[in-house]
Amino acid sequence: MNEPSLSTLKQTGMVSLKENWQADLRAGFLVFLIALPLSLGVAIASGFPPSAGIISAIVGGLLVSQISGSYLTINGPAAGLIVVILAAVQALGEGDALAGYRYTLAAIVVSGALQIMMGKFKAGQLSAFFPASVVHGMLAAIGLIIIATQSHVMLGVTPESGSLLSIIVQIPHSVLNMKPEIFLISFLGLLLLVIWPLVGSRVPAPIIVVLVGMLFSWHFGLGHVRAANGSKFLVSISDNFSDDFHLPDFSKLFTVAFWEAVVSISLVGSLETLLSATAVDKLDPYKRTSDLDRDLRAVGIGNMVASLMSGFPMIAEIVRSSENVNNGAKTSWANFFHGLCL
């Protein structure tokens, strides 16, 4: 069967679904397998409930896919937002995690509205003016912060809350008090992420990591083991999903910290979305060009809807989007199917 050309490929609407549903469903399902653990992990690392990441990915797939200006991007929570969201939860909550979570949800609602305005006023084109070195530096800094905060998770130790510097200083203490079985699972996960792509298998490395982690957690009985602070090592989602729903709290709307969070979330999220959409366009075998302003508006709408449903903010995520392309996706329906599977 010959591949359709750009001139014959139906890119949107029900006609597109009818013609490309098999390829898009296959790609969407494979992306779903990657998105599930990543959505949980990003939410937890940011001080949000794990369900918040799932909600974000569902909204990004079912809603944003239908109104975005790109064809092959996958929308959902991403590691690049961990730093700004965690900082917002800590700064706004002032030690109260639940209150910080609700204040941050309100900040995401406002940042989503700001993104819609940015798209309306054609701010999507501004991404072309950002020097690549600035973007690389920002992403490198985010990576270092994630490494610092997640080192404790890798060792199975919960550090004392505090600034980033204090979290880094506590790493030697966590090394001395690590849980061997947790460290073993973490180390094997990192090793598989490095080695598995060299095997040449079409099965994505994150799926293998999750399966191996599940096997070892069952072997070590981690479902029954509790840390000293009473928390489980496994991801815990309430049996009643509605228990994790909390309404945004706008009572700090007129504070400096609130608007610092709004600006940080909207700028970092918008920049990553625009850069990801541009990068995916270069991977698109049909060489289509995204409408960046429309994409920015769509992500803004998605962020407002997701945060009103207690969800994490979303962007056009590059890793899942590239996997989407590699697995043969043809239209934005692949993003929809990824959200539907979730």
Side-chain angles (χ1 to χ4, degrees), residues 206-240:
I207 297 177
I208 302 301
V209 171
V210 170
L211 293 176
V212 171
M214 290 169 60
L215 177 64
F216 275 84
S217 67
W218 170 79
H219 173 72
F220 289 123
L222 297 184
H224 306 288
V225 178
R226 292 179 176 272
N229 62 0
S231 64
K232 291 183 179 180
F233 289 117
L234 302 183
V235 175
S236 177
I237 298 179
S238 302
D239 292 334
N240 185 358

PDB file of all heavy atoms in Angstrom, residues 206-240:
ATOM      1  N   PRO A 206      11.353   3.189  27.904  1.00  0.00           N
ATOM      2  CA  PRO A 206      10.594   3.431  29.141  1.00  0.00           C
ATOM      3  C   PRO A 206       9.629   2.310  29.500  1.00  0.00           C
ATOM      4  O   PRO A 206       9.385   2.049  30.679  1.00  0.00           O
ATOM      5  CB  PRO A 206       9.839   4.736  28.833  1.00  0.00           C
ATOM      6  CG  PRO A 206      10.693   5.432  27.835  1.00  0.00           C
ATOM      7  CD  PRO A 206      11.249   4.335  26.986  1.00  0.00           C
ATOM      8  N   ILE A 207       9.076   1.629  28.485  1.00  0.00           N
ATOM      9  CA  ILE A 207       8.161   0.519  28.762  1.00  0.00           C
ATOM     10  C   ILE A 207       8.913  -0.625  29.431  1.00  0.00           C
ATOM     11  O   ILE A 207       8.434  -1.223  30.402  1.00  0.00           O
ATOM     12  CB  ILE A 207       7.498   0.046  27.456  1.00  0.00           C
ATOM     13  CG1 ILE A 207       6.643   1.164  26.861  1.00  0.00           C
ATOM     14  CG2 ILE A 207       6.645  -1.200  27.704  1.00  0.00           C
ATOM     15  CD1 ILE A 207       6.015   0.817  25.536  1.00  0.00           C
ATOM     16  N   ILE A 208      10.107  -0.932  28.933  1.00  0.00           N
ATOM     17  CA  ILE A 208      10.919  -1.996  29.525  1.00  0.00           C
ATOM     18  C   ILE A 208      11.305  -1.632  30.958  1.00  0.00           C
ATOM     19  O   ILE A 208      11.281  -2.476  31.860  1.00  0.00           O
ATOM     20  CB  ILE A 208      12.179  -2.243  28.670  1.00  0.00           C
ATOM     21  CG1 ILE A 208      11.789  -2.600  27.232  1.00  0.00           C
ATOM     22  CG2 ILE A 208      13.026  -3.348  29.283  1.00  0.00           C
ATOM     23  CD1 ILE A 208      10.926  -3.835  27.126  1.00  0.00           C
ATOM     24  N   VAL A 209      11.650  -0.354  31.164  1.00  0.00           N
ATOM     25  CA  VAL A 209      12.024   0.098  32.508  1.00  0.00           C
ATOM     26  C   VAL A 209      10.865  -0.093  33.483  1.00  0.00           C
ATOM     27  O   VAL A 209      11.043  -0.580  34.605  1.00  0.00           O
ATOM     28  CB  VAL A 209      12.460   1.576  32.469  1.00  0.00           C
ATOM     29  CG1 VAL A 209      12.639   2.118  33.888  1.00  0.00           C
ATOM     30  CG2 VAL A 209      13.755   1.728  31.689  1.00  0.00           C
ATOM     31  N   VAL A 210       9.671   0.279  33.053  1.00  0.00           N
ATOM     32  CA  VAL A 210       8.502   0.143  33.930  1.00  0.00           C
ATOM     33  C   VAL A 210       8.219  -1.331  34.240  1.00  0.00           C
ATOM     34  O   VAL A 210       7.946  -1.699  35.389  1.00  0.00           O
ATOM     35  CB  VAL A 210       7.263   0.799  33.277  1.00  0.00           C
ATOM     36  CG1 VAL A 210       6.000   0.456  34.061  1.00  0.00           C
ATOM     37  CG2 VAL A 210       7.440   2.304  33.226  1.00  0.00           C
ATOM     38  N   LEU A 211       8.290  -2.180  33.229  1.00  0.00           N
ATOM     39  CA  LEU A 211       8.033  -3.608  33.447  1.00  0.00           C
ATOM     40  C   LEU A 211       9.059  -4.225  34.394  1.00  0.00           C
ATOM     41  O   LEU A 211       8.699  -4.994  35.298  1.00  0.00           O
ATOM     42  CB  LEU A 211       8.035  -4.348  32.106  1.00  0.00           C
ATOM     43  CG  LEU A 211       6.889  -4.011  31.141  1.00  0.00           C
ATOM     44  CD1 LEU A 211       7.076  -4.733  29.814  1.00  0.00           C
ATOM     45  CD2 LEU A 211       5.549  -4.375  31.758  1.00  0.00           C
ATOM     46  N   VAL A 212      10.331  -3.893  34.192  1.00  0.00           N
ATOM     47  CA  VAL A 212      11.387  -4.412  35.083  1.00  0.00           C
ATOM     48  C   VAL A 212      11.191  -3.871  36.499  1.00  0.00           C
ATOM     49  O   VAL A 212      11.337  -4.600  37.489  1.00  0.00           O
ATOM     50  CB  VAL A 212      12.776  -4.034  34.533  1.00  0.00           C
ATOM     51  CG1 VAL A 212      13.866  -4.359  35.553  1.00  0.00           C
ATOM     52  CG2 VAL A 212      13.050  -4.766  33.226  1.00  0.00           C
ATOM     53  N   GLY A 213      10.854  -2.583  36.599  1.00  0.00           N
ATOM     54  CA  GLY A 213      10.608  -2.006  37.917  1.00  0.00           C
ATOM     55  C   GLY A 213       9.449  -2.674  38.634  1.00  0.00           C
ATOM     56  O   GLY A 213       9.516  -2.920  39.848  1.00  0.00           O
ATOM     57  N   MET A 214       8.381  -2.974  37.903  1.00  0.00           N
ATOM     58  CA  MET A 214       7.227  -3.669  38.505  1.00  0.00           C
ATOM     59  C   MET A 214       7.635  -5.057  39.004  1.00  0.00           C
ATOM     60  O   MET A 214       7.232  -5.482  40.097  1.00  0.00           O
ATOM     61  CB  MET A 214       6.106  -3.784  37.478  1.00  0.00           C
ATOM     62  CG  MET A 214       5.428  -2.468  37.134  1.00  0.00           C
ATOM     63  SD  MET A 214       4.332  -2.594  35.706  1.00  0.00           S
ATOM     64  CE  MET A 214       3.166  -3.834  36.278  1.00  0.00           C
ATOM     65  N   LEU A 215       8.429  -5.754  38.199  1.00  0.00           N
ATOM     66  CA  LEU A 215       8.865  -7.101  38.575  1.00  0.00           C
ATOM     67  C   LEU A 215       9.694  -7.074  39.862  1.00  0.00           C
ATOM     68  O   LEU A 215       9.458  -7.861  40.796  1.00  0.00           O
ATOM     69  CB  LEU A 215       9.674  -7.717  37.425  1.00  0.00           C
ATOM     70  CG  LEU A 215      10.269  -9.106  37.689  1.00  0.00           C
ATOM     71  CD1 LEU A 215       9.149 -10.119  37.894  1.00  0.00           C
ATOM     72  CD2 LEU A 215      11.161  -9.542  36.515  1.00  0.00           C
ATOM     73  N   PHE A 216      10.659  -6.164  39.938  1.00  0.00           N
ATOM     74  CA  PHE A 216      11.519  -6.090  41.114  1.00  0.00           C
ATOM     75  C   PHE A 216      10.762  -5.561  42.336  1.00  0.00           C
ATOM     76  O   PHE A 216      11.028  -5.988  43.465  1.00  0.00           O
ATOM     77  CB  PHE A 216      12.742  -5.218  40.824  1.00  0.00           C
ATOM     78  CG  PHE A 216      13.867  -5.956  40.179  1.00  0.00           C
ATOM     79  CD1 PHE A 216      13.900  -6.143  38.795  1.00  0.00           C
ATOM     80  CD2 PHE A 216      14.891  -6.495  40.933  1.00  0.00           C
ATOM     81  CE1 PHE A 216      14.930  -6.834  38.196  1.00  0.00           C
ATOM     82  CE2 PHE A 216      15.936  -7.195  40.346  1.00  0.00           C
ATOM     83  CZ  PHE A 216      15.957  -7.375  38.963  1.00  0.00           C
ATOM     84  N   SER A 217       9.825  -4.633  42.131  1.00  0.00           N
ATOM     85  CA  SER A 217       9.060  -4.139  43.278  1.00  0.00           C
ATOM     86  C   SER A 217       8.190  -5.249  43.849  1.00  0.00           C
ATOM     87  O   SER A 217       8.008  -5.335  45.077  1.00  0.00           O
ATOM     88  CB  SER A 217       8.195  -2.950  42.858  1.00  0.00           C
ATOM     89  OG  SER A 217       7.180  -3.339  41.953  1.00  0.00           O
ATOM     90  N   TRP A 218       7.663  -6.109  42.969  1.00  0.00           N
ATOM     91  CA  TRP A 218       6.908  -7.277  43.450  1.00  0.00           C
ATOM     92  C   TRP A 218       7.827  -8.244  44.183  1.00  0.00           C
ATOM     93  O   TRP A 218       7.473  -8.775  45.249  1.00  0.00           O
ATOM     94  CB  TRP A 218       6.239  -7.967  42.256  1.00  0.00           C
ATOM     95  CG  TRP A 218       5.632  -9.297  42.603  1.00  0.00           C
ATOM     96  CD1 TRP A 218       4.436  -9.528  43.221  1.00  0.00           C
ATOM     97  CD2 TRP A 218       6.225 -10.588  42.378  1.00  0.00           C
ATOM     98  NE1 TRP A 218       4.238 -10.888  43.385  1.00  0.00           N
ATOM     99  CE2 TRP A 218       5.321 -11.558  42.876  1.00  0.00           C
ATOM    100  CE3 TRP A 218       7.420 -11.008  41.787  1.00  0.00           C
ATOM    101  CZ2 TRP A 218       5.584 -12.928  42.796  1.00  0.00           C
ATOM    102  CZ3 TRP A 218       7.689 -12.368  41.718  1.00  0.00           C
ATOM    103  CH2 TRP A 218       6.766 -13.311  42.221  1.00  0.00           C
ATOM    104  N   HIS A 219       9.027  -8.451  43.636  1.00  0.00           N
ATOM    105  CA  HIS A 219       9.983  -9.370  44.261  1.00  0.00           C
ATOM    106  C   HIS A 219      10.380  -8.900  45.662  1.00  0.00           C
ATOM    107  O   HIS A 219      10.465  -9.710  46.595  1.00  0.00           O
ATOM    108  CB  HIS A 219      11.223  -9.496  43.375  1.00  0.00           C
ATOM    109  CG  HIS A 219      12.332 -10.288  43.994  1.00  0.00           C
ATOM    110  ND1 HIS A 219      12.283 -11.663  44.144  1.00  0.00           N
ATOM    111  CD2 HIS A 219      13.523  -9.897  44.530  1.00  0.00           C
ATOM    112  CE1 HIS A 219      13.391 -12.086  44.742  1.00  0.00           C
ATOM    113  NE2 HIS A 219      14.160 -11.032  44.975  1.00  0.00           N
ATOM    114  N   PHE A 220      10.594  -7.591  45.810  1.00  0.00           N
ATOM    115  CA  PHE A 220      11.008  -7.050  47.105  1.00  0.00           C
ATOM    116  C   PHE A 220       9.823  -6.747  48.027  1.00  0.00           C
ATOM    117  O   PHE A 220      10.029  -6.335  49.166  1.00  0.00           O
ATOM    118  CB  PHE A 220      11.828  -5.769  46.902  1.00  0.00           C
ATOM    119  CG  PHE A 220      13.190  -6.000  46.325  1.00  0.00           C
ATOM    120  CD1 PHE A 220      13.575  -5.361  45.145  1.00  0.00           C
ATOM    121  CD2 PHE A 220      14.101  -6.858  46.937  1.00  0.00           C
ATOM    122  CE1 PHE A 220      14.832  -5.566  44.598  1.00  0.00           C
ATOM    123  CE2 PHE A 220      15.361  -7.073  46.396  1.00  0.00           C
ATOM    124  CZ  PHE A 220      15.730  -6.429  45.218  1.00  0.00           C
ATOM    125  N   GLY A 221       8.621  -6.940  47.537  1.00  0.00           N
ATOM    126  CA  GLY A 221       7.442  -6.685  48.359  1.00  0.00           C
ATOM    127  C   GLY A 221       7.277  -5.231  48.760  1.00  0.00           C
ATOM    128  O   GLY A 221       6.856  -4.931  49.882  1.00  0.00           O
ATOM    129  N   LEU A 222       7.578  -4.329  47.850  1.00  0.00           N
ATOM    130  CA  LEU A 222       7.535  -2.908  48.197  1.00  0.00           C
ATOM    131  C   LEU A 222       6.121  -2.397  48.446  1.00  0.00           C
ATOM    132  O   LEU A 222       5.936  -1.338  49.033  1.00  0.00           O
ATOM    133  CB  LEU A 222       8.192  -2.073  47.086  1.00  0.00           C
ATOM    134  CG  LEU A 222       9.679  -2.339  46.852  1.00  0.00           C
ATOM    135  CD1 LEU A 222      10.222  -1.392  45.802  1.00  0.00           C
ATOM    136  CD2 LEU A 222      10.463  -2.187  48.148  1.00  0.00           C
ATOM    137  N   GLY A 223       5.136  -3.134  47.978  1.00  0.00           N
ATOM    138  CA  GLY A 223       3.765  -2.718  48.244  1.00  0.00           C
ATOM    139  C   GLY A 223       3.403  -2.795  49.709  1.00  0.00           C
ATOM    140  O   GLY A 223       2.444  -2.162  50.164  1.00  0.00           O
ATOM    141  N   HIS A 224       4.191  -3.556  50.469  1.00  0.00           N
ATOM    142  CA  HIS A 224       3.914  -3.719  51.894  1.00  0.00           C
ATOM    143  C   HIS A 224       4.941  -3.025  52.769  1.00  0.00           C
ATOM    144  O   HIS A 224       4.800  -2.972  53.989  1.00  0.00           O
ATOM    145  CB  HIS A 224       3.882  -5.210  52.255  1.00  0.00           C
ATOM    146  CG  HIS A 224       2.942  -6.005  51.414  1.00  0.00           C
ATOM    147  ND1 HIS A 224       1.578  -5.907  51.537  1.00  0.00           N
ATOM    148  CD2 HIS A 224       3.178  -6.900  50.422  1.00  0.00           C
ATOM    149  CE1 HIS A 224       1.001  -6.719  50.665  1.00  0.00           C
ATOM    150  NE2 HIS A 224       1.943  -7.337  49.979  1.00  0.00           N
ATOM    151  N   VAL A 225       6.002  -2.506  52.139  1.00  0.00           N
ATOM    152  CA  VAL A 225       7.058  -1.851  52.902  1.00  0.00           C
ATOM    153  C   VAL A 225       6.790  -0.361  52.952  1.00  0.00           C
ATOM    154  O   VAL A 225       6.458   0.258  51.954  1.00  0.00           O
ATOM    155  CB  VAL A 225       8.446  -2.110  52.253  1.00  0.00           C
ATOM    156  CG1 VAL A 225       9.528  -1.390  53.029  1.00  0.00           C
ATOM    157  CG2 VAL A 225       8.717  -3.601  52.211  1.00  0.00           C
ATOM    158  N   ARG A 226       6.913   0.241  54.111  1.00  0.00           N
ATOM    159  CA  ARG A 226       6.693   1.678  54.254  1.00  0.00           C
ATOM    160  C   ARG A 226       7.977   2.357  54.712  1.00  0.00           C
ATOM    161  O   ARG A 226       8.750   1.812  55.487  1.00  0.00           O
ATOM    162  CB  ARG A 226       5.573   1.980  55.262  1.00  0.00           C
ATOM    163  CG  ARG A 226       4.209   1.535  54.776  1.00  0.00           C
ATOM    164  CD  ARG A 226       3.130   1.845  55.825  1.00  0.00           C
ATOM    165  NE  ARG A 226       1.819   1.505  55.326  1.00  0.00           N
ATOM    166  CZ  ARG A 226       1.044   2.299  54.625  1.00  0.00           C
ATOM    167  NH1 ARG A 226       1.472   3.505  54.329  1.00  0.00           N
ATOM    168  NH2 ARG A 226      -0.144   1.928  54.211  1.00  0.00           N
ATOM    169  N   ALA A 227       8.177   3.535  54.202  1.00  0.00           N
ATOM    170  CA  ALA A 227       9.341   4.304  54.624  1.00  0.00           C
ATOM    171  C   ALA A 227       9.120   4.829  56.038  1.00  0.00           C
ATOM    172  O   ALA A 227       8.037   4.735  56.598  1.00  0.00           O
ATOM    173  CB  ALA A 227       9.563   5.470  53.648  1.00  0.00           C
ATOM    174  N   ALA A 228      10.173   5.424  56.603  1.00  0.00           N
ATOM    175  CA  ALA A 228      10.093   5.901  57.983  1.00  0.00           C
ATOM    176  C   ALA A 228       9.027   6.976  58.162  1.00  0.00           C
ATOM    177  O   ALA A 228       8.442   7.111  59.228  1.00  0.00           O
ATOM    178  CB  ALA A 228      11.457   6.437  58.406  1.00  0.00           C
ATOM    179  N   ASN A 229       8.755   7.757  57.098  1.00  0.00           N
ATOM    180  CA  ASN A 229       7.759   8.825  57.221  1.00  0.00           C
ATOM    181  C   ASN A 229       6.346   8.348  56.921  1.00  0.00           C
ATOM    182  O   ASN A 229       5.417   9.143  56.861  1.00  0.00           O
ATOM    183  CB  ASN A 229       8.110   9.987  56.286  1.00  0.00           C
ATOM    184  CG  ASN A 229       8.096   9.571  54.829  1.00  0.00           C
ATOM    185  OD1 ASN A 229       7.834   8.426  54.488  1.00  0.00           O
ATOM    186  ND2 ASN A 229       8.393  10.529  53.953  1.00  0.00           N
ATOM    187  N   GLY A 230       6.176   7.040  56.706  1.00  0.00           N
ATOM    188  CA  GLY A 230       4.842   6.495  56.519  1.00  0.00           C
ATOM    189  C   GLY A 230       4.372   6.441  55.083  1.00  0.00           C
ATOM    190  O   GLY A 230       3.285   5.955  54.809  1.00  0.00           O
ATOM    191  N   SER A 231       5.155   6.905  54.128  1.00  0.00           N
ATOM    192  CA  SER A 231       4.724   6.894  52.735  1.00  0.00           C
ATOM    193  C   SER A 231       5.171   5.608  52.050  1.00  0.00           C
ATOM    194  O   SER A 231       6.197   5.036  52.380  1.00  0.00           O
ATOM    195  CB  SER A 231       5.298   8.105  51.999  1.00  0.00           C
ATOM    196  OG  SER A 231       6.703   8.022  51.970  1.00  0.00           O
ATOM    197  N   LYS A 232       4.405   5.169  51.088  1.00  0.00           N
ATOM    198  CA  LYS A 232       4.761   3.979  50.342  1.00  0.00           C
ATOM    199  C   LYS A 232       5.808   4.309  49.281  1.00  0.00           C
ATOM    200  O   LYS A 232       5.924   5.424  48.821  1.00  0.00           O
ATOM    201  CB  LYS A 232       3.525   3.383  49.675  1.00  0.00           C
ATOM    202  CG  LYS A 232       2.514   2.779  50.637  1.00  0.00           C
ATOM    203  CD  LYS A 232       1.370   2.152  49.868  1.00  0.00           C
ATOM    204  CE  LYS A 232       0.371   1.524  50.825  1.00  0.00           C
ATOM    205  NZ  LYS A 232      -0.765   0.910  50.105  1.00  0.00           N
ATOM    206  N   PHE A 233       6.554   3.289  48.880  1.00  0.00           N
ATOM    207  CA  PHE A 233       7.515   3.482  47.808  1.00  0.00           C
ATOM    208  C   PHE A 233       6.825   3.468  46.452  1.00  0.00           C
ATOM    209  O   PHE A 233       7.358   3.973  45.476  1.00  0.00           O
ATOM    210  CB  PHE A 233       8.589   2.390  47.854  1.00  0.00           C
ATOM    211  CG  PHE A 233       9.529   2.522  49.018  1.00  0.00           C
ATOM    212  CD1 PHE A 233       9.604   1.545  49.993  1.00  0.00           C
ATOM    213  CD2 PHE A 233      10.352   3.628  49.127  1.00  0.00           C
ATOM    214  CE1 PHE A 233      10.475   1.669  51.053  1.00  0.00           C
ATOM    215  CE2 PHE A 233      11.229   3.763  50.185  1.00  0.00           C
ATOM    216  CZ  PHE A 233      11.289   2.776  51.163  1.00  0.00           C
ATOM    217  N   LEU A 234       5.655   2.841  46.377  1.00  0.00           N
ATOM    218  CA  LEU A 234       4.944   2.759  45.112  1.00  0.00           C
ATOM    219  C   LEU A 234       4.042   3.971  44.930  1.00  0.00           C
ATOM    220  O   LEU A 234       3.629   4.615  45.886  1.00  0.00           O
ATOM    221  CB  LEU A 234       4.101   1.475  45.067  1.00  0.00           C
ATOM    222  CG  LEU A 234       4.859   0.158  45.251  1.00  0.00           C
ATOM    223  CD1 LEU A 234       3.904  -1.029  45.098  1.00  0.00           C
ATOM    224  CD2 LEU A 234       5.986   0.044  44.236  1.00  0.00           C
ATOM    225  N   VAL A 235       3.719   4.270  43.656  1.00  0.00           N
ATOM    226  CA  VAL A 235       2.791   5.360  43.361  1.00  0.00           C
ATOM    227  C   VAL A 235       1.419   5.003  43.919  1.00  0.00           C
ATOM    228  O   VAL A 235       0.926   3.896  43.724  1.00  0.00           O
ATOM    229  CB  VAL A 235       2.696   5.592  41.839  1.00  0.00           C
ATOM    230  CG1 VAL A 235       1.636   6.643  41.517  1.00  0.00           C
ATOM    231  CG2 VAL A 235       4.048   6.016  41.289  1.00  0.00           C
ATOM    232  N   SER A 236       0.813   5.925  44.608  1.00  0.00           N
ATOM    233  CA  SER A 236      -0.470   5.667  45.249  1.00  0.00           C
ATOM    234  C   SER A 236      -1.524   6.625  44.712  1.00  0.00           C
ATOM    235  O   SER A 236      -1.393   7.838  44.827  1.00  0.00           O
ATOM    236  CB  SER A 236      -0.344   5.836  46.774  1.00  0.00           C
ATOM    237  OG  SER A 236      -1.599   5.647  47.400  1.00  0.00           O
ATOM    238  N   ILE A 237      -2.562   6.061  44.092  1.00  0.00           N
ATOM    239  CA  ILE A 237      -3.710   6.831  43.632  1.00  0.00           C
ATOM    240  C   ILE A 237      -4.928   6.355  44.414  1.00  0.00           C
ATOM    241  O   ILE A 237      -5.116   5.160  44.622  1.00  0.00           O
ATOM    242  CB  ILE A 237      -3.935   6.641  42.119  1.00  0.00           C
ATOM    243  CG1 ILE A 237      -2.722   7.155  41.340  1.00  0.00           C
ATOM    244  CG2 ILE A 237      -5.196   7.353  41.652  1.00  0.00           C
ATOM    245  CD1 ILE A 237      -2.845   6.993  39.840  1.00  0.00           C
ATOM    246  N   SER A 238      -5.743   7.284  44.866  1.00  0.00           N
ATOM    247  CA  SER A 238      -6.913   6.946  45.682  1.00  0.00           C
ATOM    248  C   SER A 238      -7.826   5.980  44.944  1.00  0.00           C
ATOM    249  O   SER A 238      -7.997   6.066  43.718  1.00  0.00           O
ATOM    250  CB  SER A 238      -7.697   8.214  46.042  1.00  0.00           C
ATOM    251  OG  SER A 238      -6.886   9.131  46.727  1.00  0.00           O
ATOM    252  N   ASP A 239      -8.412   5.052  45.696  1.00  0.00           N
ATOM    253  CA  ASP A 239      -9.381   4.135  45.104  1.00  0.00           C
ATOM    254  C   ASP A 239     -10.553   4.915  44.508  1.00  0.00           C
ATOM    255  O   ASP A 239     -11.099   4.546  43.474  1.00  0.00           O
ATOM    256  CB  ASP A 239      -9.892   3.154  46.158  1.00  0.00           C
ATOM    257  CG  ASP A 239      -8.805   2.189  46.623  1.00  0.00           C
ATOM    258  OD1 ASP A 239      -7.871   1.953  45.829  1.00  0.00           O
ATOM    259  OD2 ASP A 239      -8.885   1.703  47.750  1.00  0.00           O
ATOM    260  N   ASN A 240     -10.936   5.996  45.187  1.00  0.00           N
ATOM    261  CA  ASN A 240     -11.976   6.879  44.669  1.00  0.00           C
ATOM    262  C   ASN A 240     -11.275   8.043  43.968  1.00  0.00           C
ATOM    263  O   ASN A 240     -10.738   8.927  44.617  1.00  0.00           O
ATOM    264  CB  ASN A 240     -12.864   7.384  45.804  1.00  0.00           C
ATOM    265  CG  ASN A 240     -14.034   8.207  45.298  1.00  0.00           C
ATOM    266  OD1 ASN A 240     -14.165   8.438  44.085  1.00  0.00           O
ATOM    267  ND2 ASN A 240     -14.879   8.659  46.204  1.00  0.00           N
TER     268      ASN A 240
END
